[in-house]
Amino acid sequence: MVDSKTQDKRDDILDVAEKLFSEKGFEAISIREISKAAEINIAMVSYYFGSKEKLYEEVVNRKLISSEMIIKYIEQHETYTNKLFAIVDMFINKFFERRDFQNIIFREMAMNQRTGMAELITNRLHQNFSVIQDVIENGIKHKEFKKVDVELTVMTIIGVVKTYTTSCSIACRVLKIDDPEKVYDDKYKKRLKKHLKELLVTHLEIKL
Amino acid sequence: MVDSKTQDKRDDILDVAEKLFSEKGFEAISIREISKAAEINIAMVSYYFGSKEKLYEEVVNRKLISSEMIIKYIEQHETYTNKLFAIVDMFINKFFERRDFQNIIFREMAMNQRTGMAELITNRLHQNFSVIQDVIENGIKHKEFKKVDVELTVMTIIGVVKTYTTSCSIACRVLKIDDPEKVYDDKYKKRLKKHLKELLVTHLEIKL
DNA sequence: CAAATTTAATTAAACGTTTGTTTAATTTGC
DNA sequence: GCAAATTAAACAAACGTTTAATTAAATTTG
């Protein structure tokens, strides 16, 4: 069994690494910076994780949303409309609370480096996207939604949320927000949810 | 006056650097890699551009879309609907032909490093977004569009295109495309344009 | 117009840093 | 007293940049 105190230390390092990696990227952050921020010796990263790359893999792996989680989250809702709305809520919530992490994910997606890592992420993301796709497809089949380009509709949902959370400085300017931290206020979270749902209501011709 | 042969060499280096930076990011690419790919001596980068950072700045600067270009492109269209459609066409065209470059831009946006560079990009992007915003706002004012959340609608337009072009591997999986290069086929370009326009038509309640 | 001279382009080698990782010694907790 | 945790120091490799020497091109001169 893993010592709980040791686990805490590991988690500390993972948290710090996640924050730094997300801010500046994998290559731009040195083990020395991570060690300093986590207040540990440089050698401890190799000691705990083996290498910088393996540390990074663990950072990514531990926070990926599982499609099972999404399915469990939406299965309690009756109509496809409500399932879809639940997905919107969930995704925006997750993106807002894990905004640091999302930066890592989508930066990794935009590159073809570290192919193993990219493949892992692609697989997991695709699973998540498939859940959304299924809901929309079933909604169409049951005449709850109008026929649309399902795949691109999925990308639209992700695209809006992703752009909002990963291009914070642009969001600030567009929304005329003075303090970058306010971008993640509840006020704007609600506004984003409202916008995305209205967009889907008209696009899918949902009758409320 | 700058020698045209020298200018060609510079452009060669800029092209190679753009490709490599876009694939793996600024920090992950060394001057030695760039030199090798461009078939020049390592010292030539410093000689031509001063430093790696200044080379990067030039890579970014020379390909940013100017808002003047957008304005000129759309002013020939009469209705706000056609202006908006022209914007959609233009953005998708630009994103498709400059997909390498877009990776750089949005990676830079997601980070807060190199603050000077980020600020430059933010300013330029914001100008471009403002043009779209103006069109939508005026369309609403002239009753051509329904009242919507204009700012988030702008982010939606950008978000879809951006997600499509900068997450190629995900686009492949979602759209069931076997060869990554096909993602940028005309077929899919048309499909994306069609989807985005239909999305806007319903969202803004445009009567065609 | 060719030779001489100056300027620009290009090169290989070396520079000092910083990188990720390892080693071997020391401290800590049980 | 022993194993695990932690440390400081050292490692080779790679980094961006600079240097000083050489070649190529352009300009001036006789």
Side-chain angles (χ1 to χ4, degrees):
Chain A
M1 175 207 147
V2 183
D3 182 13
S4 79
K5 207 177 168 189
T6 299
Q7 190 57 45
D8 283 354
K9 269 269 165 78
R10 278 179 62 94
D11 285 340
D12 272 359
I13 301 171
L14 286 166
D15 287 339
V16 169
E18 179 183 319
K19 189 162 188 298
L20 293 177
F21 282 146
S22 72
E23 281 168 359
K24 306 201 169 185
F26 179 76
E27 281 78 14
I29 292 294
S30 67
I31 291 194
R32 281 169 179 81
E33 286 178 85
I34 296 171
S35 315
K36 204 174 177 184
E39 294 175 316
I40 52 159
N41 187 276
I42 323 165
M44 294 308 288
V45 171
S46 295
Y47 180 77
Y48 276 129
F49 301 95
S51 69
K52 188 190 175 190
E53 191 117 4
K54 281 181 187 163
L55 164 65
Y56 186 63
E57 280 172 25
E58 251 191 76
V59 164
V60 173
N61 232 325
R62 72 174 181 153
K63 282 222 178 162
L64 281 171
I65 304 172
S66 75
S67 55
E68 289 81 13
M69 197 199 290
I70 307 175
I71 293 171
K72 194 171 273 178
Y73 193 85
I74 62 170
E75 68 185 3
Q76 55 187 308
H77 295 91
E78 290 280 332
T79 64
Y80 292 104
T81 304
N82 285 337
K83 282 182 201 291
L84 191 60
F85 282 5
I87 287 173
V88 168
D89 285 333
M90 186 195 190
F91 263 72
I92 292 179
N93 287 341
K94 289 286 175 202
F95 270 72
F96 267 62
E97 70 186 46
R98 298 178 176 188
R99 49 188 183 265
D100 285 350
F101 181 64
Q102 296 303 331
N103 269 340
I104 296 182
I105 294 302
F106 286 106
R107 202 179 304 140
E108 210 60 33
M109 285 283 74
M111 316 211 219
N112 292 335
Q113 217 168 13
R114 288 179 290 281
T115 45
M117 178 94 295
E119 203 167 330
L120 169 77
I121 296 176
T122 309
N123 285 338
R124 299 287 297 271
L125 286 187
H126 184 240
Q127 282 174 18
N128 298 352
F129 291 4
S130 291
V131 177
I132 311 181
Q133 202 171 322
D134 281 351
V135 170
I136 299 178
E137 271 167 4
N138 280 314
I140 293 172
K141 198 183 286 176
H142 290 82
K143 312 276 182 195
E144 214 176 300
F145 303 153
K146 184 183 76 170
K147 259 193 188 172
V148 294
D149 192 324
V150 182
E151 289 85 359
L152 291 182
T153 303
V154 173
M155 295 198 80
T156 305
I157 298 171
I158 305 301
V160 185
V161 186
K162 172 187 152 184
T163 301
Y164 186 92
T165 52
T166 60
S167 303
C168 171
S169 58
I170 270 292
C172 268
R173 292 285 284 273
V174 171
L175 297 168
K176 296 187 189 72
I177 303 170
D178 48 352
D179 176 17
E181 266 311 302
K182 285 187 188 163
V183 173
Y184 301 104
D185 273 1
D186 257 15
K187 178 181 155 193
Y188 294 106
K189 195 202 266 187
K190 277 181 192 162
R191 183 170 161 187
L192 188 57
K193 285 179 182 175
K194 187 169 172 249
H195 165 73
L196 194 46
K197 286 176 188 171
E198 284 178 358
L199 189 78
L200 288 169
V201 164
T202 54
H203 183 55
L204 298 168
E205 283 185 5
I206 297 175
K207 287 131 197 114
L208 294 174
Chain B
M1 173 206 148
V2 182
D3 182 11
S4 80
K5 205 178 167 188
T6 299
Q7 190 57 45
D8 284 353
K9 269 269 166 76
R10 278 179 61 95
D11 284 340
D12 273 359
I13 301 172
L14 286 167
D15 287 339
V16 169
E18 180 183 317
K19 188 162 188 300
L20 293 177
F21 282 147
S22 72
E23 282 169 358
K24 306 201 169 187
F26 179 76
E27 281 80 13
I29 291 295
S30 67
I31 291 193
R32 281 170 178 81
E33 288 179 83
I34 296 171
S35 314
K36 204 174 176 184
E39 294 175 315
I40 51 157
N41 189 277
I42 322 165
M44 294 309 288
V45 171
S46 294
Y47 180 77
Y48 276 129
F49 302 95
S51 69
K52 188 189 175 190
E53 189 117 7
K54 280 181 188 163
L55 164 65
Y56 186 63
E57 279 173 26
E58 252 190 76
V59 165
V60 174
N61 232 325
R62 73 175 180 152
K63 282 222 177 162
L64 281 173
I65 305 171
S66 75
S67 55
E68 288 81 12
M69 197 199 290
I70 307 175
I71 292 170
K72 194 171 274 178
Y73 193 85
I74 61 170
E75 68 185 3
Q76 53 187 311
H77 295 92
E78 289 280 333
T79 64
Y80 293 104
T81 302
N82 286 336
K83 282 182 201 289
L84 191 59
F85 282 4
I87 288 173
V88 168
D89 285 334
M90 186 196 192
F91 263 74
I92 292 179
N93 287 340
K94 288 283 174 204
F95 270 71
F96 267 61
E97 71 186 46
R98 298 179 177 189
R99 49 187 184 267
D100 285 350
F101 180 63
Q102 295 304 329
N103 270 341
I104 296 182
I105 293 303
F106 286 105
R107 201 178 304 139
E108 210 60 34
M109 285 284 74
M111 315 211 219
N112 291 335
Q113 219 169 10
R114 287 180 290 279
T115 44
M117 179 94 296
E119 203 167 332
L120 170 77
I121 296 176
T122 309
N123 284 338
R124 298 287 293 274
L125 286 187
H126 185 239
Q127 282 174 18
N128 297 353
F129 291 5
S130 292
V131 177
I132 311 179
Q133 201 171 323
D134 281 351
V135 170
I136 299 178
E137 270 167 3
N138 279 315
I140 293 172
K141 199 184 283 174
H142 291 80
K143 312 275 183 196
E144 212 175 300
F145 303 152
K146 185 184 78 172
K147 258 192 188 171
V148 293
D149 192 323
V150 181
E151 289 85 359
L152 291 183
T153 302
V154 173
M155 295 199 80
T156 304
I157 298 171
I158 304 300
V160 185
V161 187
K162 174 188 153 184
T163 301
Y164 186 91
T165 51
T166 61
S167 302
C168 171
S169 58
I170 271 293
C172 269
R173 292 284 286 271
V174 172
L175 297 168
K176 296 187 189 71
I177 304 171
D178 49 351
D179 177 16
E181 265 310 303
K182 287 187 186 160
V183 174
Y184 301 105
D185 273 0
D186 256 15
K187 178 181 154 192
Y188 294 107
K189 196 202 262 187
K190 277 180 192 162
R191 183 170 161 187
L192 188 57
K193 285 178 182 175
K194 186 170 172 249
H195 165 74
L196 194 46
K197 285 175 188 171
E198 284 178 358
L199 188 79
L200 289 168
V201 165
T202 53
H203 183 56
L204 298 168
E205 282 185 6
I206 297 175
K207 287 134 199 109
L208 294 173

